[in-house]
Amino acid sequence: MDSTEVNKGMAAILVAGIAYFLAGWISATLVHETKPEHEVLKIEGAAPAEASAEPAKAEPLPLIAPLLAKADVATGESNVKKLCVSCHTFTEGGKAGVGPNLYGVVGAGRGHMEGFNYSAAIKGKAGNWTYEELNAWLAKPAAFAPGTRMTFAGIKSADQRADVIAYLRTLSKTPVPLP
Ligand code: HEC
């Protein structure tokens, strides 16, 4: 094989490459030119923007009771270690941190820890921590008790809340029966 043959071969490859590139570029350009029209149509036909922003608020919170039956205590405990221990202790007689100790909180009255300086939001909310109220509280503390000092956004997943609540339930000598 002499060098002109090599050069011819190289030139052929180069030409093929350029042709391939151009074809790709042209079709890409054409596709780009037609795409926006379709997208504009789709956006016009799509549901109004509020529809996607609202559902979390509009939908009532699903009941936690059916989820508690299949909740996983160990997963709940590991989530509590990730999400709550920066502010809460969970052992019997544990000290308050930023938030109160949470041993025995399931079924207890609001503001259940002696001597903890609860906000008016919690003190003013009558009743006990039932499963469903813990569910609502943990989904969005600020919505359940506006003005609360628990600066925690909430747990979005209902399954995760069920796991956490199932774990909280175990922190008692006489756990409240499951609903
Ligand atoms: C940033 C700190 C912080 C985090 C994180 C936090 N909490 Fe709290 N929590 C508080 C504070 C502060 C209060 C007291 C609220 C008040 O007085 O308004 C509280 C109160 C509570 C109460 C009510 C206790 C009672 O005696 O009435 C429960 C139940 C609770 N938290 C559960 C949890 C769980 C479960 C998690 C994790 C998923 C969590 N909290 C994460 C700070 C926190």
Side-chain angles (χ1 to χ4, degrees):
M1 203 191 272
D2 70 16
S3 69
T4 52
E5 250 175 284
V6 171
N7 283 344
K8 267 190 230 160
M10 298 272 279
I13 290 167
L14 198 64
V15 168
I18 289 169
Y20 180 77
F21 171 79
L22 278 178
W25 180 75
I26 288 165
S27 65
T29 310
L30 289 178
V31 168
H32 274 297
E33 273 169 16
T34 56
K35 228 182 185 174
E37 276 177 42
H38 290 295
E39 276 173 9
V40 168
L41 285 177
K42 256 190 222 154
I43 289 164
E44 279 171 359
E50 319 93 72
S52 58
E54 277 315 311
K57 262 193 181 173
E59 274 174 37
L61 204 60
L63 290 181
I64 205 72
L67 296 178
L68 281 175
K70 51 181 175 163
D72 190 79
V73 172
T75 308
E77 179 171 10
S78 77
N79 277 327
V80 157
K81 286 194 172 133
K82 275 184 238 151
L83 301 171
C84 326
V85 294
S86 53
C87 298
H88 292 288
T89 57
F90 293 83
T91 49
E92 188 174 8
K95 280 200 191 117
V98 174
N101 169 263
L102 290 181
Y103 185 88
V105 76
V106 176
R110 225 81 66 193
H112 85 300
M113 186 188 182
E114 284 290 317
F116 185 82
N117 183 24
Y118 288 95
S119 67
I122 283 290
K123 281 191 283 199
K125 197 129 179 118
N128 292 352
W129 285 116
T130 64
Y131 288 116
E132 296 304 340
E133 287 182 69
L134 278 168
N135 180 39
W137 167 247
L138 292 178
K140 204 168 187 194
F144 181 86
T148 178
R149 274 202 284 272
M150 174 153 140
T151 50
F152 175 73
I155 304 173
K156 281 212 183 92
S157 148
D159 288 319
Q160 244 182 26
R161 288 197 301 277
D163 293 343
V164 164
I165 294 168
Y167 168 66
L168 292 179
R169 172 182 181 267
T170 66
L171 308 175
S172 166
K173 287 191 186 88
T174 51
V176 178
L178 285 171

